[in-house]
Amino acid sequence: MVRMPLTPAEVERGERLGALLRRARGERSMLSVALDAGISPETLRKIESGRVATPAFSTIAAIADVLEISLDAVWDEVGSRTAETTARRIAS
């Protein structure tokens, strides 16, 4: 299966998501957060670095739960800008 390249908007969203999670993690180790969320440290590293720009919802929900941030906060930081950009493109 060939995966389509990410759009610039998806790359930007992944970078914003990674930055949000890094800030929320603070001084906690990547290892402890990943294990508490039930994911591998490598997966968390890739998400935080923006290399996985479109992680599964369940993965983000698990990380957000461990970091005690609401999914609404994640959406406000990451998803809403993408939705606004998409809406503008459709309206044009």
Side-chain angles (χ1 to χ4, degrees), residues 10-30:
E10 289 170 327
V11 171
E12 181 186 347
R13 183 180 61 219
E15 290 169 353
R16 285 195 313 270
L17 175 62
L20 170 68
L21 297 179
R22 280 191 306 279
R23 283 192 312 271
R25 184 167 55 85
E27 296 297 316
R28 291 182 66 181
S29 76
M30 191 177 286

Side-chain angles (χ1 to χ4, degrees), residues 5-6 9 12 15 20 32 43 55 60 62 65 67-68 71 73 75 79 85 87 90 92:
L6 296 173
E12 181 186 347
E15 290 169 353
L20 170 68
S32 70
T43 297
I60 296 307
D65 184 51
L67 296 176
E68 298 179 353
L71 291 175
W75 175 253
T85 302
I90 291 171
S92 298

Side-chain angles (χ1 to χ4, degrees), residues 32-91:
S32 70
V33 170
L35 293 178
D36 288 347
I39 62 171
S40 73
E42 179 66 10
T43 297
L44 181 57
R45 186 184 67 74
K46 287 179 180 178
I47 294 169
E48 284 190 359
S49 69
R51 287 187 51 216
V52 176
T54 56
F57 176 80
S58 59
T59 300
I60 296 307
I63 297 168
D65 184 51
V66 168
L67 296 176
E68 298 179 353
I69 55 176
S70 72
L71 291 175
D72 287 335
V74 174
W75 175 253
D76 289 344
E77 178 69 24
V78 178
S80 61
R81 293 181 205 165
T82 303
E84 290 168 9
T85 302
T86 301
R88 275 190 238 121
R89 261 192 252 137
I90 291 171

